[in-house]
């Protein structure tokens, strides 16, 4: 009987499109609806260039994930990558808990954001909204990964539709675009390369989310085919949308208004009609829940994977007999998110997550670098992109960490 239980694994049912939409959904979230103005606060009209640069930086790490995920298609991917490369269970476990920690904080912060958006339409006590919404999302996650990703995929299409709606309603004045092109992508008065990098550092976090795909690789029908396409494809889609939205925002709004507003998307379309702003607010509300569900799925898979490798209590490796989802791991993550969202001031913890995320990316890139050395040898690996690009990504992540430490001193 015990043996049968151990042999029941996660259900392999995810196709490439489902995983791709999951990746796009985790990156888009509600962030882009407010982030453009914040990035412009650093880089001014060069905000599109900041997003482009951030996308290139994120793309290098995404490349490492696209190599590692099909090679080791297991839940809790980062733990396996680090362990295989450095043969250190302690380091791998530390990375795994770091991934779970960032998922906790991110989901709790997003859930608080959902309460804020909901208050625009109707007011309920915060704790009630958090508990009810999290219970429904938890039930959906336990019901099935396929069903959950179908919901995420549908909401992602709505999110993408919302951004395309903003671009369409605002319209791109070709004459303005041509005349302002150099100020958006080359140079702008009063802003130097340092300002562009400042904006890119902030914009980088709009791309965080592609790494979540590695943790559903075990449930992919064909991870060797699906994971590289889904990881790199979702990043390129997000990059295109972010740059396009940044271009529209810079053209549509005066720079001082763009920097001052907390809702640039609503501000852009409000100029064309107030009812448009209401539509965007509704899309933002749905987008927020999408982010919470994505983090719940990611966190539960990492905890499940860690339990399977004896880096977490074994009970979290249990799978529901009917739905074949990690039921106890999902419940544990959901309860943790609720507790944090209700009782902990998320703002104080959110800054810490940025250090953890970049540290995890550094270790993943170094893992791929080390595995490339093992595969090709020390001499031959220097001519191989599977070694050079991850090494460059690791160095850039370290620069990120040093920058953040110095900026806050």
């Amino acid at each position: 009987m015990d043996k049968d239980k151990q042999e029941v694994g996660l259900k392999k049912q995810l196709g490439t499109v489902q995983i791709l939409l999951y990746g796009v959904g985790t990156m888009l979230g509600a962030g882009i609806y407010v982030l453009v103005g914040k990035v412009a606060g650093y880089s001014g009209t060069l905000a599109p260039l900041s997003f482009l640069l951030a996308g290139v930086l994120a793309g290098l790490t995404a490349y490492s994930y696209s190599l590692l995920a099909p090679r080791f298609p297991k839940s809790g991917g980062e733990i396996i990558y680090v362990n295989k490369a450095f043969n250190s269970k302690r380091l791998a476990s530390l990375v795994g808990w770091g991934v779970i920690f960032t998922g906790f904080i991110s989901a709790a912060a997003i859930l608080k954001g959902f309460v804020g958006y909901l208050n625009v339409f109707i007011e309920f006590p915060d704790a009630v909204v958090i508990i009810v919404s999290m219970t429904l999302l938890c039930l959906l996650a336990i019901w099935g990964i396929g069903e959950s990703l179908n919901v995420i995929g549908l909401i992602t299409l709505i999110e993408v539709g919302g951004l395309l709606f903003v671009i369409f309603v605002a319209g791109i004045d070709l004459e303005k675009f041509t005349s302002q092109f150099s100020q958006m992508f080359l140079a702008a008065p009063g802003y130097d390369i340092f300002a562009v990098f400042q904006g890119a550092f902030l914009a980088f976090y709009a791309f965080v989310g592609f790494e979540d795909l590695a943790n559903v690789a075990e449930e992919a029908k064909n991870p060797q085919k699906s994971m590289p396409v889904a990881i790199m494809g979702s990043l390129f889609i997000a990059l295109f949308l972010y740059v396009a939205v940044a271009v529209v925002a810079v053209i549509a709004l005066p720079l001082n208004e763009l920097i001052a507003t907390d809702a640039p998307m609503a501000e852009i379309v409000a100029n064309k009609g107030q009812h448009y702003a209401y539509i965007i607010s509704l899309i933002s509300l749905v987008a927020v829940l999408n982010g919470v569900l994505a983090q719940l799925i990611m966190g539960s898979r990492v905890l499940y994977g860690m339990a399977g490798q004896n880096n977490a209590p074994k009970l979290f490796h249990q799978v529901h007999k009917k739905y074949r989802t990690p039921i106890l791991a999902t419940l544990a993550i959901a309860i943790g998110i609720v507790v944090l969202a209700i009782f902990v001031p998320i703002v104080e913890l959110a800054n810490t997550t940025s250090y953890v995320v970049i540290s995890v990316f550094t270790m993943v890139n170094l893992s791929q670098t080390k595995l490339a050395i093992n595969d090709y040898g020390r001499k031959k690996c220097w001519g191989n992109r599977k070694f050079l690009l991850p090494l460059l990504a690791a160095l850039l992540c370290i620069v990120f960490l040093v920058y953040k430490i110095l900026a806050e001193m």
Side-chain angles (χ1 to χ4, degrees), residues 41-379:
Y42 286 112
S43 52
T45 57
L46 288 166
L49 179 59
S50 288
F51 275 102
L52 184 60
L53 181 59
V56 172
L57 296 176
L60 289 170
T61 296
Y63 177 67
S64 292
Y65 273 93
S66 74
L67 295 174
L68 291 164
R71 182 171 181 173
F72 307 107
K74 293 288 183 180
S75 295
E78 290 93 345
I79 314 157
I80 297 170
Y81 311 156
V82 173
N83 195 27
K84 291 287 185 181
F86 300 103
N87 195 28
S88 171
K89 283 196 171 184
R90 182 173 294 179
L91 184 59
S93 180
L94 188 63
V95 168
W97 285 115
V99 173
I100 290 176
F101 174 76
T102 56
F104 267 139
I105 305 303
S106 176
I110 296 170
L111 200 53
K112 276 186 176 288
F114 173 73
V115 175
Y117 280 117
L118 189 63
N119 284 341
V120 174
F121 301 97
I122 186 171
E123 289 194 19
F124 285 107
D126 289 6
V128 172
V129 174
I130 289 168
I131 292 170
V132 171
S133 57
M134 198 68 240
T135 300
L136 293 174
L137 291 175
C138 185
L139 290 173
L140 176 58
I142 291 171
W143 182 28
I145 184 70
E147 292 77 8
S148 298
L149 261 64
N150 285 339
V151 170
I152 288 175
L154 177 61
I155 296 176
T156 298
L157 292 175
I158 294 172
E159 290 178 72
V160 172
L163 295 178
L164 293 176
F165 173 75
V166 170
I167 295 168
F168 176 77
V169 169
I172 295 180
D173 187 322
L174 290 178
E175 190 176 328
K176 273 189 176 182
F177 177 77
T178 305
S179 63
Q180 294 181 27
F181 181 85
S182 64
Q183 292 185 17
M184 291 188 288
F185 290 101
L186 298 174
Y191 295 93
D192 55 16
I193 190 65
F194 182 72
V196 173
F197 272 100
Q198 287 268 74
F201 284 131
L202 178 59
F204 180 82
Y205 296 105
F207 292 94
V208 171
F210 61 82
E211 73 281 3
D212 290 357
L213 275 66
N215 293 304
V216 298
E218 191 170 339
E219 292 156 286
K221 292 176 185 175
N222 186 351
Q224 284 70 32
K225 173 190 171 186
S226 296
M227 299 314 297
V229 172
I231 291 171
M232 298 308 297
S234 61
L235 188 128
F236 282 123
I237 290 170
L239 175 59
F240 169 78
L241 288 170
Y242 288 168
V243 173
V245 166
V247 167
V248 168
V250 167
I251 291 175
L253 292 176
L255 189 56
N256 61 329
E257 286 185 27
L258 177 60
I259 293 171
T261 181
D262 286 327
M265 298 301 101
E267 196 82 28
I268 291 167
V269 295
N271 292 334
K272 303 291 183 178
Q274 191 58 43
H275 57 289
Y276 289 138
Y278 184 76
I279 293 171
I280 288 298
S281 297
L282 277 174
I283 291 173
S284 299
L285 186 67
V286 177
V288 168
L289 278 184
N290 206 30
V292 179
L293 180 57
Q295 292 299 325
L296 175 61
I297 290 171
M298 181 277 293
S300 63
R301 268 55 185 180
V302 175
L303 185 56
Y304 169 85
M306 289 182 68
Q309 297 165 54
N310 298 315
N311 289 321
K314 199 70 177 176
L315 61 94
F316 293 124
H317 198 64
Q318 289 185 28
V319 173
H320 193 284
K321 286 183 179 179
K322 181 178 179 182
Y323 303 120
R324 289 175 66 182
T325 52
I327 180 168
L328 293 180
T330 304
L331 287 171
I333 297 294
I335 292 168
I337 292 170
V338 168
V339 171
L340 282 177
I342 294 175
F343 298 109
V344 180
I346 301 301
V347 177
E348 294 178 10
L349 293 170
N351 195 43
T352 309
T353 64
S354 61
Y355 289 103
V356 179
V357 167
I358 302 299
S359 297
V360 170
F361 284 177
T362 303
M363 290 308 305
V364 169
N365 286 314
L366 289 175
S367 296
Q368 172 55 34
T369 304
K370 179 67 166 56
L371 289 168
I373 293 173
N374 295 346
D375 291 341
Y376 303 104
R378 291 184 182 277
K379 292 182 179 179

Side-chain angles (χ1 to χ4, degrees), residues 5-73:
K5 284 182 180 178
Q6 289 175 359
E7 289 175 352
V8 175
L10 299 175
K11 190 175 181 181
K12 292 182 177 294
Q13 58 176 319
L14 302 179
T16 304
V17 174
Q18 284 176 303
I19 303 170
L20 175 71
L21 289 175
Y22 175 55
V24 175
T26 55
M27 277 184 276
L28 290 186
I32 189 61
Y33 289 90
V34 297
L35 201 59
V36 177
K38 307 300 181 188
V39 172
Y42 286 112
S43 52
T45 57
L46 288 166
L49 179 59
S50 288
F51 275 102
L52 184 60
L53 181 59
V56 172
L57 296 176
L60 289 170
T61 296
Y63 177 67
S64 292
Y65 273 93
S66 74
L67 295 174
L68 291 164
R71 182 171 181 173
F72 307 107

